[in-house]
């Protein structure tokens, strides 16, 4: 059975060119620093034509290797935290299958009981 992390942002106005470029920079930085070539990482959907108002959407399938799953979760949530801070006026939803991932204004996204992720931080 696979578990996935889902993330999305919605708002009435589409991304500006500057915002779209910022989203791409966050995704590129995440990809460049991701430690596992063979694991799924931050994955942003190309188009959300079937979801009006969706400005960012994506998902990441968690690895089966228990030694890697925490690292993947922390790194992806760190990137999603960066995205939310870059697009603060959007309505965000982040969840691990049916478990909502809470937002903390100071620390960002993290699962209860886990260290809070931080952009570019090491796990």
């Amino acid at each position: 059975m696979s578990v996935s992390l889902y993330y999305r942002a919605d708002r009435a106005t589409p991304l500006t060119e500057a915002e779209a470029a910022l989203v791409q920079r966050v995704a590129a930085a995440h990809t460049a620093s991701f430690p596992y070539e063979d694991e799924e990482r931050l994955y942003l959907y190309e188009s959300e034509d079937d979801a009006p108002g969706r400005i960012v959407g994506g998902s990441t399938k968690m690895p089966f290797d228990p030694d890697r799953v925490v690292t993947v979760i922390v790194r992806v949530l760190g990137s999603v935290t960066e995205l939310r801070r870059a697009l603060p006026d959007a309505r965000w939803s982040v969840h691990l299958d049916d478990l909502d991932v809470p937002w903390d204004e100071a620390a960002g996204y993290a699962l209860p009981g886990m260290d809070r992720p931080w952009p570019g931080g090491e796990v």
Side-chain angles (χ1 to χ4, degrees):
M1 178 176 164
S2 72
V3 174
S4 294
L5 184 68
Y6 299 92
Y7 27 91
R8 73 172 192 253
D10 298 290
R11 73 174 185 205
T13 57
L15 291 175
T16 65
E17 285 185 35
E19 289 171 328
L22 182 55
V23 167
Q24 291 307 313
R25 282 194 302 273
V26 169
H30 172 86
T31 298
S33 69
F34 196 74
Y36 308 121
E37 284 293 317
D38 58 338
E39 299 291 357
E40 204 168 306
R41 61 203 70 200
L42 182 77
Y43 176 77
L44 300 178
Y45 305 142
E46 288 291 321
S47 173
E48 295 281 338
D49 293 335
D50 61 337
R54 179 84 24 94
I55 57 172
V56 174
S59 64
T60 304
K61 186 167 68 171
M62 293 298 106
F64 289 110
D65 182 344
D67 293 331
R68 292 182 173 191
V69 71
V70 171
T71 301
V72 171
I73 289 172
V74 169
R75 286 185 173 269
V76 173
L77 288 177
S79 295
V80 175
T81 294
E82 281 188 76
L83 290 171
R84 180 175 175 147
R85 289 189 172 136
L87 305 168
D89 60 340
R91 289 175 315 280
W92 284 85
S93 173
V94 179
H95 53 98
L96 187 65
D97 283 345
D98 59 356
L99 173 69
D100 286 335
V101 179
W103 171 253
D104 179 276
E105 199 61 46
Y109 284 111
L111 292 175
M114 292 180 67
D115 290 336
R116 295 272 176 199
W118 58 94
E122 294 301 317
V123 177

